[in-house]
Amino acid sequence: MFKNIREDIASVFARDPAARTTFEVLTCYPGLHARIFHRLSNTLWHAGFKWLARFISHFARWFTGIEIHPGATIGRRFFIDHGMGVVIGETAEIGDDVTLYHGVTLGGTSWKEGNAIRPWVMEWWWGRGRKYWARSISATAPRSVPMRWW
């Protein structure tokens, strides 16, 4: 678990130029806190403690402003920057090295398939209030594509 937290802290430093110290990241980054709570609730969810997992995710939403369902699948080095209002539903599948910004909603339209976001589909694409309700997305984007303002 501590290895994963160290990896998450390193991803904050890699993607946020405002991050100054490890102590600051550990105490002042709600995206990191939400990820830690999600790891705990996800473990409980898969162990069959569904109510406890939902209760922990509910507390995490109150504490961080970020709602992640305990059944959501999230890859390594996931980073939520300015995460107020981020909602990640149960059917969401997020790959490694993904960054989300505030106000992003990932929700499913089916119990059978989720929303899959693959590595590096972010930084410019899934920010600024984007809402996504569909079965899946698997596009990967080059990091040099300019930001779009619509």
Side-chain angles (χ1 to χ4, degrees):
M1 180 173 170
F2 292 110
K3 176 186 170 200
N4 292 330
I5 293 172
R6 280 194 299 268
E7 192 173 59
D8 288 340
I9 292 169
S11 73
V12 170
F13 283 113
R15 298 182 214 164
D16 186 358
R20 291 185 292 262
T21 66
T22 300
F23 182 73
E24 178 185 42
V25 170
L26 280 171
T27 57
C28 299
Y29 276 71
L32 178 67
H33 301 150
R35 183 65 178 116
I36 292 168
F37 280 120
H38 177 260
R39 280 199 183 96
L40 174 61
S41 66
N42 185 263
T43 300
L44 291 169
W45 182 265
H46 290 294
F49 297 100
K50 307 273 189 206
W51 179 86
L52 184 57
R54 290 295 301 264
F55 184 77
I56 289 170
S57 70
H58 180 73
F59 173 79
R61 182 184 73 173
W62 170 80
F63 183 70
T64 65
I66 299 167
E67 182 175 348
I68 305 174
H69 191 282
T73 303
I74 298 176
R76 295 172 51 199
R77 298 174 301 278
F78 176 58
F79 176 52
I80 302 172
D81 195 9
H82 303 286
M84 184 60 76
V86 168
V87 178
I88 300 171
E90 179 180 5
T91 60
E93 297 176 20
I94 301 172
D96 296 339
D97 302 307
V98 172
T99 300
L100 294 180
Y101 291 105
H102 68 282
V104 174
T105 300
L106 299 176
T109 60
S110 168
W111 288 100
K112 297 177 183 174
E113 295 182 55
N115 301 318
I117 298 179
R118 302 297 177 213
W120 302 114
V121 174
M122 222 335 305
E123 308 211 356
W124 56 276
W125 187 253
W126 285 102
R128 303 174 317 280
R130 169 96 45 189
K131 306 294 185 262
Y132 183 72
W133 295 279
R135 292 177 184 249
S136 66
I137 181 170
S138 59
T140 55
R143 300 186 77 200
S144 62
V145 175
M147 191 174 292
R148 298 178 187 195
W149 297 97
W150 68 83

